Amino acid sequence: MKKIAILGATGSIGRSTIDVIKRNPEEYSLYAATGNKNYSVMAGIIREFSPQVVVMTDRSAYEKLKEIVQTEHRSTEVLFGTENLNAVAASEEYDGLMSAIVGAAGLRPTLSAITQGKTVYLANKESLVMSGHIFIDAARRFKARIIPVDSEHSAIFQCLPEQEQERIGRCDLKSAGIKNIILTGSGGPFRNRDVATLDKVTPAEAVSHPNWSMGQKISVDSATMMNKGLEFIEAKWLFNADPKDIKVVVHPESVIHSMVQYIDGTVMAQMGRPDMRTPIARAMGYPKRTVSGVGELDFFVNSSLTFQQPDYQKYPCLKLAIDACATSQAMTTAVNAANEVAVYAFLDNKIKYTDIYKVCAKVAGNFAAVNAPDLESILNVDTLARSYAYNELALL
């Protein structure tokens, strides 16, 4: 039985992971779970799974959860703060870590697990967007295994030859006969909307994804296709790919989750219903396949599959992220940091939807020529980019 630790257990990916664990009680047990503010969901996790340790990073949530655990005489240890978050990730007591914290906050604890040689089920794309070279070098040095969980990267992973699946981060795509990696994206809720009207988009409209059920931040990223841009950067590092060999295709039905094109003309595609439990179950069970709770794909309901080129006028954030990927690690870090600030400002009704790109582009331009060779300099870029982003917000 695998002992699983979940970073971000109360979020969308975390809850889906909990569901997969629940459906496979003979395969997995929950060793540790971490969260931020949602103490009530965490209390439910403790009642059902009795993890050995739980960490909350919000002080108020920690105190409320600890009181519940004490009142109910639960055995789970409840800890507070980022230091304990990193310590749990570095523990020797578990077998696999689900890295599901959204944003830059997931970088340090995920890296802590990598430096302990752990198997990491990677759903936190910022770990690679911010520090791809550091992250992958650490995985090589400490013999850690990375298995992608993002639906697109899981799809690519499943379409690779077995020998390449075994060396994520150091793949040799050319020797495997691979010509292109093809990332698919739905195009979000505004795929058919007139570009001239995008400045009128509301947060409620932006978070209403047509196919996927996700958190608010990632739903906005899907609408702008910044999410696909970040996945482009992530694919570069996961599969050791040249950016020119990564393509993006708009696929509105979200049935094909991504593809791998081989030099002989073959295209391998992974298909399935749009449900994150499928890639989660694939990652945690690898090399076996386990029950995910996801129903079968009905080919008669999904009888038509369509594909389009991305419109960079409609999705300038996608183009910005792709350009940053080909420029520098500092620039990808800055794009990610500025995007986090801008998206949350949009969700708070402080800026327009179209201002998200404006903020990101302004900030990113300051970092195109910056060298960030180590974690400290990467974190400095992240902090500085956020500061620049807040300054840009004040000017809008």
Side-chain angles (χ1 to χ4, degrees):
M1 181 179 286
K2 291 180 182 178
K3 294 181 180 180
I4 304 297
I6 306 176
L7 301 180
T10 60
S12 175
I13 300 296
R15 293 190 205 193
S16 292
T17 304
I18 290 290
D19 188 73
V20 172
I21 292 173
K22 186 189 304 184
R23 292 173 186 275
N24 296 274
E26 73 289 349
E27 298 284 346
Y28 312 114
S29 65
L30 183 63
Y31 164 74
T34 79
N36 183 27
K37 293 183 178 181
N38 203 335
Y39 70 91
S40 59
V41 169
M42 189 64 81
I45 291 171
I46 291 172
R47 292 183 188 112
E48 185 167 7
F49 295 95
S50 298
Q52 187 168 324
V53 60
V54 157
V55 181
M56 301 299 288
T57 53
D58 178 82
R59 171 68 73 176
S60 176
Y62 157 73
E63 291 173 350
K64 291 175 182 175
L65 182 64
K66 191 164 186 178
E67 182 179 352
I68 292 171
V69 168
Q70 289 173 343
T71 300
E72 297 181 2
H73 305 289
R74 304 284 174 182
S75 60
T76 298
E77 183 179 14
V78 180
L79 302 174
F80 165 73
T82 55
E83 288 188 12
N84 282 316
L85 187 70
N86 296 334
V88 165
S91 169
E92 297 180 357
E93 299 299 318
Y94 69 87
D95 302 300
L97 178 89
M98 176 60 67
S99 175
I101 296 177
V102 175
L107 173 56
R108 280 194 182 276
T110 307
L111 197 55
S112 293
I114 289 291
T115 56
Q116 293 302 310
K118 292 292 186 178
T119 295
V120 173
Y121 314 123
L122 190 62
N124 173 265
K125 58 176 58 65
E126 288 79 10
S127 294
L128 291 175
V129 171
M130 290 176 63
S131 62
H133 66 293
I134 297 168
F135 197 87
I136 295 302
D137 285 349
R140 290 172 180 164
R141 190 162 65 253
F142 295 100
K143 296 181 172 56
R145 164 173 269 173
I146 301 170
I147 303 180
V149 172
D150 267 352
S151 61
E152 294 80 4
H153 302 103
S154 174
I156 294 164
F157 174 81
Q158 294 182 63
C159 293
L160 293 176
E162 183 179 351
Q163 65 182 21
E164 304 307 324
Q165 292 179 345
E166 293 293 331
R167 53 186 184 188
I168 293 301
R170 50 190 179 87
C171 298
D172 188 344
L173 300 183
K174 296 303 179 187
S175 70
I178 293 170
K179 183 178 182 180
N180 292 308
I181 285 172
I182 303 171
L183 291 168
T184 60
S186 70
F190 310 129
R191 181 174 53 85
N192 295 319
R193 184 155 172 164
D194 187 340
V195 174
T197 69
L198 290 178
D199 63 341
K200 302 296 192 299
V201 165
T202 67
E205 290 174 319
V207 301
S208 298
H209 196 282
N211 301 332
W212 293 91
S213 175
M214 305 179 291
Q216 286 194 320
K217 195 268 180 182
I218 195 171
S219 294
V220 175
D221 284 347
S222 181
T224 65
M225 286 196 79
M226 176 63 89
N227 194 45
K228 203 58 49 184
L230 299 180
E231 289 167 8
F232 186 103
I233 299 164
E234 191 179 4
K236 169 191 171 180
W237 295 110
L238 282 172
F239 308 113
N240 195 26
D242 191 306
K244 67 180 176 58
D245 297 328
I246 306 171
K247 313 298 180 188
V248 176
V249 172
V250 175
H251 169 50
E253 295 81 12
S254 296
V255 170
I256 294 177
H257 299 301
S258 276
M259 298 173 274
V260 174
Q261 187 171 43
Y262 287 81
I263 58 174
D264 63 359
T266 297
V267 178
M268 301 286 287
Q270 187 266 331
M271 304 172 68
R273 295 176 67 175
D275 191 313
M276 284 305 299
R277 291 177 296 173
T278 296
I280 288 167
R282 183 64 187 125
M284 294 202 309
Y286 183 82
K288 295 197 309 179
R289 291 190 182 270
T290 56
V291 173
S292 68
V294 179
E296 295 179 355
L297 181 66
D298 189 330
F299 288 96
F300 300 105
V301 171
N302 299 281
S303 59
S304 177
L305 302 180
T306 57
F307 307 93
Q308 303 167 7
Q309 287 189 335
D311 179 351
Y312 290 139
Q313 281 192 311
K314 186 169 290 183
Y315 306 114
C317 285
L318 171 61
K319 182 66 163 58
L320 178 64
I322 291 173
D323 289 344
C325 182
T327 304
S328 71
Q329 184 76 80
M331 191 170 176
T332 61
T333 299
V335 166
N336 177 71
N339 182 64
E340 282 191 27
V341 171
V343 168
Y344 285 118
F346 166 68
L347 288 170
D348 287 340
N349 291 295
K350 294 178 179 176
I351 63 173
K352 295 179 181 180
Y353 175 81
T354 48
D355 289 334
I356 295 173
Y357 167 73
K358 293 176 183 177
V359 171
C360 292
K362 282 278 191 178
V363 172
N366 294 297
F367 294 91
V370 173
N371 184 34
D374 52 38
L375 184 59
E376 182 178 358
S377 58
I378 285 289
L379 294 174
N380 286 338
V381 167
D382 180 75
T383 299
L384 189 57
R386 289 172 194 275
S387 176
Y388 286 171
Y390 283 117
N391 289 340
E392 291 298 328
L393 294 182
L395 298 174
L396 291 171

